Structure formats: C-alpha cells, structure tokens
Amino acid sequence: MHVENTFLDPRADFQPITIKTQVRADPLTGRTGHFSHFGAIKPQKLDLDKYLEPQIKGFCPFCGDRRNHVTPMFPEGLFHKGRLTRGEALLVPNLFPYDVYSSIVIMTDDHVVSLESFNDDKLYDSFSLGIDFLKRVRGKSPSIPYQVMAWNYMPPSGGGLVHPHQQYFATEHPGNQFADEYKAAESFYHNHQVDYWTELIKEEQQHGERYIGQVGDTHWLASFVSLGMLGEIMCVFPGVYCLDDFTDAHVRRLVSGLRKIFCYYLKNDIYSFNASLYWGAEGQQFFPAHFRIVPRTFLNTRDYAPDINFFQTVLQEPVSVVLPEDLGKEVKPYFVNR
Ligand SMILES: [Zn+2]
C-alpha cells in the first residue's frame, strides 16, 4: 500500500512537496512493515581498533586462556563432561541460558574480528560445531521440536560482547516471528499441498527483483518485508525440513553465501548485524530451514542512538529505509561467479 504525505517543505522555500512511503504485508504471515525515509539513514563506520583499547575492552570472558576458567562446562550426560571444540571454535553452556539447552559458540581466538577476517574455516567450524550440538540435543531430547542459531555481531546489534560468538538453543518457544511463520506455513501447505518457500523461490526467481542468487541448492533473496532498518536478506534451504536433513554441504553453502554478503557489507560500510538460522520439527514438510541476516547500525556516533525505536519495541513493526528491490539489485552482482 502506498501512502502519500504533502507538506510545505522548509528545505525548499516552503514549496509543497509530496513524500511517498509504503506499507507492505508479508504474503505468508500478513505481518506488516513500513518503508519510508528512503536513503536517509546511512550505516555508521565503527572504529574496530578502539574495541582493543583496555578501557573500552574491559573484561572479556572469551579471551585467551580465561575462557577455560570463567565459562561453564557441560555436566556428564549430553556428551563427555566439558566443552566442545573445532578449530578455533569452542562451544560452552550459556551462563545465562534462554531455554533448556542453551549454548554459546566462541567463534575465534581473536577478540575483534572484522568481516573480512572471517574466512571459510572460522565460519564453517563455528556453524558446524553449533549444529552438531543441536543434533546431539535432538538425540537426547527428541520432544523439543525446534532449533535456533542466533548471532549478534558488534555492539550496534545489541551484542554485549565484541568477541565473536553465536548462540545455539533447542526450544518449544522459538519466538513470535518463527511461530507466526510456522503456523502460516502449515496452513499454506494444508490449503495448497505445496510448501510456501518452494513457491516463494519459484516466484522470486521469475520476478527477479528481489532474487539475489543461488549457491548450490540454497537460494538467497531480499525479503519482501524487511525486518531491519537497512533491509534484510534471507537464504532458504528447500527440502531441508528438519535438523537431520541439514548436512555438511549445507553448512558450506551457507558459509559461501554469507561471505558474499560480507563482501557487500564491507563495500557499504555495514559493520554489524543480527542473524538467525532455524529449523522446524521433524516429520513436517512445510517449513524448510532458513537463514536471515539484518544489518544494524547506530543512527549516529555522537550519542549512539540505536536503529530501533518505538516502532519495533512497542508497535512490533519493522521499519526500513531500503526497498527490497533496490537491495536485491545491489547484492546480486556479489553472487555472480566471477
Ligand atoms: Zn575477547
């Protein structure tokens, strides 16, 4: 839906001006999002070196040998007592758990890791270790239906620690966005005997405006309604209906696509993001795994206003200053094999 506002513009000698904005409804869930203020908010550069200065760095529980003394260990039962490790990645129980099984992957040895320093190994080791943990949890407690990976990267994202880390948890309550999608996808399947996401990919590939590209059998696109101020990109894993269907090859494709997005972010001064990857319950065929990534920024670095305000908190309404079609066009070249 297009909305028009006309006022006398103080920037142009009070001549009348008409500003166009949009309200979109997600075709699956009906959840709406506002699009306005186009181009008015630019991501702010972060001085990453500052995070290494002692007075800013403060106490980091994930740095050096300290992680062995101040992070929790698993009790006997889920696996051998202790922690899990792969390459630089170390998986530990979350000291502040969100659910029955809540873990953190400390991704790197380094405290500050720029997007260009995330190589395939660092990303692969972290994702595959976290997913292995979730698979073990599934074996142990198969009645917990859903699994979630969530990642806050750098302070504008709301992450409390600069040191790269991801969260992995199994849950019956994966959040309202997930729950709404899940219910709507189930009804869609019931009504059309086909899964919504497969249809979405077909449709978006045909239209091309929001479709970004394919990495193996994974599909990357700009969401029709963006969850973030600076847009949102999602990756769908068609046919991957539960965690056990998610193979090593899927991890590699996710990492490969993600690094292309990081290249785009680096070119566009995006220094921070929220990301999630989630899986539906075993036995269903309407909710394939999908990944979302949303850039985050301070609105300015004078008073560090965040890019979330009453819209997102009390109205629960996303607002975006980037049209998904423009984002799709901009990111597409990064997915062309060169
Ligand atoms: Zn650290």
mmCIF file of all heavy atoms in Angstrom, residues 57 60-63 110-111 163, ligand 1:
data_model
loop_
_atom_site.group_PDB
_atom_site.id
_atom_site.type_symbol
_atom_site.label_atom_id
_atom_site.label_comp_id
_atom_site.label_asym_id
_atom_site.label_seq_id
_atom_site.Cartn_x
_atom_site.Cartn_y
_atom_site.Cartn_z
ATOM 1 N N LYS A 57 37.812 -2.193 26.115
ATOM 2 C CA LYS A 57 37.691 -3.649 26.059
ATOM 3 C C LYS A 57 37.155 -4.223 27.370
ATOM 4 O O LYS A 57 36.263 -5.072 27.380
ATOM 5 C CB LYS A 57 39.056 -4.273 25.733
ATOM 6 C CG LYS A 57 38.955 -5.771 25.519
ATOM 7 C CD LYS A 57 40.290 -6.397 25.227
ATOM 8 C CE LYS A 57 40.140 -7.915 25.234
ATOM 9 N NZ LYS A 57 41.393 -8.628 25.272
ATOM 10 N N CYS A 60 36.885 -9.519 29.142
ATOM 11 C CA CYS A 60 36.278 -10.390 28.135
ATOM 12 C C CYS A 60 36.436 -11.847 28.578
ATOM 13 O O CYS A 60 37.548 -12.365 28.634
ATOM 14 C CB CYS A 60 36.899 -10.189 26.756
ATOM 15 S SG CYS A 60 36.177 -11.340 25.568
ATOM 16 N N PRO A 61 35.321 -12.516 28.864
ATOM 17 C CA PRO A 61 35.408 -13.902 29.339
ATOM 18 C C PRO A 61 35.848 -14.881 28.245
ATOM 19 O O PRO A 61 36.143 -16.041 28.539
ATOM 20 C CB PRO A 61 33.970 -14.209 29.789
ATOM 21 C CG PRO A 61 33.110 -13.245 29.039
ATOM 22 C CD PRO A 61 33.941 -12.015 28.796
ATOM 23 N N PHE A 62 35.865 -14.406 26.979
ATOM 24 C CA PHE A 62 36.164 -15.319 25.870
ATOM 25 C C PHE A 62 37.612 -15.227 25.395
ATOM 26 O O PHE A 62 38.020 -15.915 24.466
ATOM 27 C CB PHE A 62 35.241 -15.031 24.674
ATOM 28 C CG PHE A 62 33.770 -15.197 24.979
ATOM 29 C CD1 PHE A 62 32.814 -14.586 24.182
ATOM 30 C CD2 PHE A 62 33.341 -15.967 26.056
ATOM 31 C CE1 PHE A 62 31.458 -14.739 24.452
ATOM 32 C CE2 PHE A 62 31.989 -16.127 26.340
ATOM 33 C CZ PHE A 62 31.052 -15.504 25.530
ATOM 34 N N CYS A 63 38.392 -14.316 25.999
ATOM 35 C CA CYS A 63 39.752 -14.083 25.510
ATOM 36 C C CYS A 63 40.771 -15.020 26.161
ATOM 37 O O CYS A 63 40.748 -15.240 27.371
ATOM 38 C CB CYS A 63 40.159 -12.638 25.778
ATOM 39 S SG CYS A 63 39.935 -11.582 24.335
ATOM 40 N N ASP A 110 40.704 -14.480 18.327
ATOM 41 C CA ASP A 110 40.829 -13.019 18.394
ATOM 42 C C ASP A 110 39.592 -12.377 18.986
ATOM 43 O O ASP A 110 38.459 -12.808 18.735
ATOM 44 C CB ASP A 110 41.074 -12.444 16.990
ATOM 45 C CG ASP A 110 42.478 -12.755 16.515
ATOM 46 O OD1 ASP A 110 43.356 -12.986 17.373
ATOM 47 O OD2 ASP A 110 42.695 -12.779 15.286
ATOM 48 N N HIS A 111 39.811 -11.295 19.719
ATOM 49 C CA HIS A 111 38.722 -10.567 20.375
ATOM 50 C C HIS A 111 37.920 -9.752 19.354
ATOM 51 O O HIS A 111 36.700 -9.671 19.420
ATOM 52 C CB HIS A 111 39.333 -9.643 21.438
ATOM 53 C CG HIS A 111 38.333 -8.840 22.194
ATOM 54 N ND1 HIS A 111 37.451 -9.398 23.095
ATOM 55 C CD2 HIS A 111 38.060 -7.495 22.180
ATOM 56 C CE1 HIS A 111 36.681 -8.439 23.610
ATOM 57 N NE2 HIS A 111 37.035 -7.288 23.074
ATOM 58 N N HIS A 163 33.698 -9.847 21.255
ATOM 59 C CA HIS A 163 34.329 -11.116 20.865
ATOM 60 C C HIS A 163 33.288 -11.980 20.130
ATOM 61 O O HIS A 163 32.238 -12.275 20.692
ATOM 62 C CB HIS A 163 34.833 -11.836 22.134
ATOM 63 C CG HIS A 163 35.889 -12.830 21.862
ATOM 64 N ND1 HIS A 163 37.105 -12.847 22.511
ATOM 65 C CD2 HIS A 163 35.938 -13.864 20.984
ATOM 66 C CE1 HIS A 163 37.847 -13.846 22.053
ATOM 67 N NE2 HIS A 163 37.142 -14.478 21.132
HETATM 68 ZN ZN ZN B 1 37.694 -11.328 23.903
#
